[in-house]
Amino acid sequence: MFYTMKFGKIEHKLPICPLNDQLSIAGFIILGNAALSEECAKQLLEKAPQFDYIFTAEAKGIPLAHDMTRLAGKSQYIIARKTPKLYMSGYISIEVQSITTEKKQVLYLDKAEAELIAGKRVLIVDDVISTGESLKAIEALVEKAGGVIVGKMAILAEGDAQKREDITYLQPLPLFDNQGNPIA
């Protein structure tokens, strides 16, 4: 089962994936689809406020952050990592429980990158916002680092996230029953 969406001239099929006995979600996979990432980046930049840095979480937001940064003529974006890396000069961290992950995760921000965004305008981007838990964790990392959040954007807002007034997104994404029928 698939749910089909269109972004500009690009048609994209999302597989319907069961979360539990009653609820399914459409899996939006941007990784590896350069044309889709670039098209969504262009559309989001048309709605974006002025920013110094784009900030996203590892991993599915990375192509979007890359394309938005490149198209905006900026030279660097910031990634919250899922594990601390050896090259980090130290880090700050936040715990998160996402709808698409079975267990709690921790997001890490390199202290050098934290110093880079301190006092700067930060635009948070992600592929999909659903429960908002990942977004909350990213916001907390930016705030801990002293960055100024100027906007929160996603390609898709899933379920109740569509009602949020604090995010900008390109399209709504419904939730599904386990027969693949949209329910919200």
Side-chain angles (χ1 to χ4, degrees):
M1 289 185 287
F2 292 90
Y3 182 71
T4 303
M5 301 187 82
K6 195 164 185 177
F7 300 89
K9 295 179 181 177
I10 299 170
E11 190 172 281
H12 190 60
K13 290 186 175 193
L14 290 67
I16 305 293
C17 310
L19 277 181
N20 56 42
D21 291 341
Q22 292 109 28
L23 188 64
S24 292
I25 60 171
F28 182 70
I29 315 299
I30 197 170
L31 294 171
N33 193 330
L36 177 62
S37 178
E38 186 167 337
E39 178 60 33
C40 293
K42 286 178 187 174
Q43 289 183 26
L44 283 171
L45 282 171
E46 290 174 3
K47 301 177 177 202
Q50 292 293 316
F51 62 90
D52 298 307
Y53 293 99
I54 286 179
F55 195 108
T56 195
E58 196 172 41
K60 293 192 304 178
I62 293 174
L64 179 65
H66 175 87
D67 286 338
M68 288 180 72
T69 300
R70 181 180 54 80
L71 292 169
K74 306 285 183 179
S75 61
Q76 184 174 354
Y77 56 96
I78 310 298
I79 303 168
R81 307 290 180 169
K82 291 182 180 176
T83 58
K85 307 297 181 190
L86 293 175
Y87 57 79
M88 289 180 161
S89 59
Y91 56 82
I92 57 176
S93 63
I94 292 289
E95 196 172 88
V96 61
Q97 176 70 55
S98 170
I99 190 173
T100 56
T101 308
E102 287 185 25
K103 58 184 179 182
K104 287 191 178 187
Q105 292 182 311
V106 179
L107 293 178
Y108 300 88
L109 177 61
D110 185 346
K111 280 191 178 180
E113 290 177 324
E115 291 170 4
L116 191 64
I117 66 171
K120 301 293 185 192
R121 298 171 298 178
V122 177
L123 177 60
I124 298 171
V125 300
D126 208 350
D127 60 335
V128 179
I129 296 176
S130 186
T131 63
E133 291 304 311
S134 296
L135 181 63
K136 257 194 260 183
I138 295 169
E139 286 178 89
L141 276 177
V142 171
E143 289 168 357
K144 266 188 169 184
V148 179
I149 298 168
V150 294
K152 297 171 269 188
M153 304 184 91
I155 298 169
L156 303 172
E158 183 175 56
D160 287 343
Q162 298 167 33
K163 300 173 191 168
R164 292 180 62 154
E165 295 182 11
D166 64 326
I167 61 171
T168 301
Y169 60 93
L170 297 180
Q171 293 187 43
L173 180 61
L175 297 171
F176 299 84
D177 65 21
N178 282 345
Q179 284 72 51
N181 302 307
I183 58 173

